[in-house]
């Protein structure tokens, strides 16, 4: 297969850098253009960006000039990855879709538009069927798909097999989120060191709504949200990468921690999501150790694409409690977006 030409919007930020790292040597995708804000336009990438990943910036990428966020400046591009802030994404992403490009977005701007798929391939690959409807309604030859908020990605992957096997009724989710989730340079060290920040604006609302949408059913050209309720509390903690989420779940059917563990470790996701270049062999890694998962030890499981789950035990208020770790800029952002694009290439949408 000829590799698809890719542009990254917001290439200089925390998620943009992760895209560059993950796309280096990708078998299906090739980075052909980089774009960012007016502040960066015209500069070579190496100068425009403060590279903060431990791997080397690829030489050829470092030399690429930053382009403006305008589709007419990015000719010959098949696929656009967006790592823009939501307000910029709201204006910019439709112009690329209208110009015929596929846009795979990390931003929240279109996550709740009823004709825009919010996708995690293993969870709801069938929601991609919203794409033709979106193109018809908006008169676009391209389209937008989104991936969920980084925390929701971990929650939805852990909840999907439990919902399928036992039915979900209610979920309490308390997150301890890494500082890279706030972008670069993000939260000041004065605020973050020796501290826990108990407010991440907008985060709890996203977690509460996105999980229900992801586990919802695609029927008659729309997604019917799942019925369970989710109550979220989001905190920022002094961890560099990897969000930890403590879940308490109330189920429709009785399940022991052992039964839940078996279901979680047996989860493979829908078949369309298996065998793609970025698919981990198993979406979930169930930790047998009593004190895992931990972000420093488990965020890189499966190259950052596996979500780690552990401490599955009885809950005296609900039914079960468990702990989830997700790499926020890999599975929860750039890696999730790349996996979405691989699914869409495999399914013939791109
Ligand atoms: P970031 O580090 O602040 O990077 C933002 C990027 O967008 C930079 O390339 C910046 O370019 C560009 N940009 C900023 N303001 C702009 C404007 N007004 N117009 C056009 N471009 C602008 O943010 P991030 O953490 O990478 O997040 C990017 C997106 O992904 C956000 O929507 C975020 O919510 C989402 N997301 C992030 C994570 C995570 O873990 N960080 C996870 C999931 C989703 P310049 O360098 O030129 O300013």
């Amino acid at each position: 297969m000829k590799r698809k030409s890719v542009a990254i919007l917001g290439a200089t930020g925390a998620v943009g850098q992760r895209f560059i790292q993950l796309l280096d040597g990708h078998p299906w995708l090739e980075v052909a253009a980089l774009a960012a804000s007016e502040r960066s336009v015209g500069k070579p990438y190496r100068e425009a960006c403060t590279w903060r990943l431990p791997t080397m910036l690829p030489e050829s990428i470092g030399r690429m000039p930053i382009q403006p966020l305008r589709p007419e400046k990015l000719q010959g591009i098949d696929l656009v990855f967006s790592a823009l802030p939501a307000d910029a994404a709201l204006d910019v992403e439709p112009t690329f879709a209208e110009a015929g490009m596929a846009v795979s977005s990390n931003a929240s701007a279109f996550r709740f538009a009823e004709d825009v798929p919010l996708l995690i391939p293993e969870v709801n690959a069938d929601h991609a069927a919203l794409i033709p409807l979106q193109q018809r309604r908006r008169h676009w030859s391209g389209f937008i798909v989104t991936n969920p908020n980084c925390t929701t990605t971990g929650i939805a992957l852990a909840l999907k097999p439990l919902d399928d096997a036992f039915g979900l009724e209610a979920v309490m989710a308390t997150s301890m989120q890494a500082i890279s989730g706030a972008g670069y340079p993000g939260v000041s060290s004065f605020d973050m060191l020796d501290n826990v920040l108990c407010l991440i604006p907008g985060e709890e609302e996203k977690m509460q709504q996105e999980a229900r949408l992801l586990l919802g059913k695609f029927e008659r050209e729309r997604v019917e949200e799942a019925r369970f309720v989710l109550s979220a509390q989001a905190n920022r903690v002094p961890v560099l990468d990897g969000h930890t989420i403590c879940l308490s779940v109330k189920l429709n059917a009785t399940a022991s921690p052992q039964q839940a563990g078996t279901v979680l470790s047996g989860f493979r996701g829908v078949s369309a999501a298996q065998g793609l270049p970025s698919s981990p062999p198993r979406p979930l890694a169930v930790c047998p150790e009593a004190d895992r998962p931990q972000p420093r030890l488990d965020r890189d499981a499966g190259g950052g694409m596996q979500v780690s789950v552990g401490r599955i035990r009885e809950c005296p208020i609900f039914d079960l409690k468990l702990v989830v770790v997700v790499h926020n800029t890999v599975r929860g952002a750039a890696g999730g977006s790349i996996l979405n694009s691989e699914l869409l290439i495999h399914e013939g949408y791109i």
Side-chain angles (χ1 to χ4, degrees):
M1 179 203 299
K2 186 175 173 298
R3 291 200 289 172
K4 306 279 182 199
S5 289
V6 166
I8 303 169
L9 314 183
T12 50
V15 176
Q17 293 183 29
R18 199 55 91 170
F19 271 119
I20 285 166
Q21 183 195 50
L22 296 175
L23 289 170
D24 189 25
H26 192 284
W28 295 1
L29 306 169
E30 183 170 28
V31 177
L34 305 172
S37 79
E38 287 301 325
R39 290 181 288 275
S40 306
V41 171
K43 294 182 187 165
Y45 184 76
R46 184 181 296 288
E47 272 175 39
C49 141
T50 311
W51 184 256
R52 277 291 169 263
L53 293 177
T55 51
M56 296 287 284
L57 170 63
E59 198 58 44
S60 58
I61 298 282
R63 286 194 299 268
M64 285 173 101
I66 300 291
Q67 306 286 342
L69 296 160
R70 293 207 298 276
E72 67 275 16
K73 297 286 180 188
L74 302 180
Q75 297 296 320
I77 297 295
D78 306 300
L79 167 65
V80 172
F81 289 118
S82 170
L84 293 170
D87 50 354
L90 191 63
D91 295 333
V92 169
E93 290 175 359
T95 64
F96 284 86
E98 196 173 7
M101 293 173 233
V103 179
S104 183
S105 175
N106 282 273
S108 59
F110 292 95
R111 282 186 198 146
F112 303 118
E114 62 175 19
D115 57 353
V116 175
L118 176 67
L119 281 182
I120 299 177
E122 296 95 330
V123 171
N124 65 338
D126 60 323
H127 293 195
L130 284 173
I131 291 171
L133 172 76
Q134 181 192 132
Q135 292 179 311
R136 229 171 37 238
R137 273 199 192 161
R138 297 182 189 241
H139 308 290
W140 288 347
S141 47
F143 58 84
I144 300 174
V145 298
T146 59
N147 44 301
N149 165 283
C150 35
T151 319
T152 308
T153 300
I155 294 175
L157 274 161
L159 291 182
K160 170 70 175 165
L162 297 178
D163 192 31
D164 288 347
F166 312 114
L168 283 174
E169 207 174 308
V171 180
M172 300 277 288
T174 302
S175 69
M176 287 151 282
Q177 302 188 200
I179 55 174
S180 61
Y184 184 80
V187 188
S188 82
S189 52
F190 197 101
D191 289 329
M192 196 68 263
L193 291 173
D194 188 29
N195 208 8
V196 171
L197 301 176
C198 63
L199 172 68
I200 306 178
E203 195 79 356
E204 293 173 355
E205 293 77 7
K206 288 179 197 162
M207 288 157 68
Q208 286 170 184
Q209 198 180 348
E210 289 175 20
R212 287 159 47 107
L213 207 48
L214 286 156
L215 270 59
K217 297 237 174 321
F218 179 78
E219 271 171 349
R220 285 188 234 104
E221 299 206 312
R222 64 184 297 273
V223 175
E224 183 77 38
E225 278 188 19
R227 293 250 171 91
F228 65 89
V229 284
L230 189 149
S231 170
Q233 300 196 63
N235 304 284
R236 184 82 64 204
V237 296
V239 166
L240 196 54
D241 288 316
H243 293 349
T244 304
I245 309 113
C246 294
L247 295 177
S248 298
V249 296
K250 188 167 167 51
L251 302 166
N252 291 324
T254 312
S256 67
Q258 291 72 22
Q259 286 169 317
T262 304
V263 161
L264 290 165
S265 55
F267 179 62
R268 296 290 179 278
V270 298
S271 59
Q274 292 167 15
L276 299 171
S278 304
S279 309
R282 290 165 187 242
L284 298 175
V286 179
C287 305
E289 301 87 349
D291 61 352
R292 302 271 287 269
Q294 300 176 20
R296 191 151 51 85
L297 301 180
D298 295 302
R299 62 192 169 208
D300 292 323
M305 290 300 285
Q306 249 178 338
V307 168
S308 297
V309 181
R311 297 214 66 217
I312 308 163
R313 59 216 191 275
E314 284 177 5
C315 172
I317 298 176
F318 283 179
D319 293 309
L320 294 173
K321 295 192 277 192
L322 58 152
V323 180
V324 176
V325 165
V326 56
H327 196 307
N328 54 296
T329 61
V330 182
R331 175 50 99 142
S337 216
I338 292 170
L339 187 59
N340 281 347
S341 73
E342 292 168 357
L343 172 80
L344 299 177
I345 291 170
H346 184 257
E347 302 273 294
Y349 289 105
I350 299 174

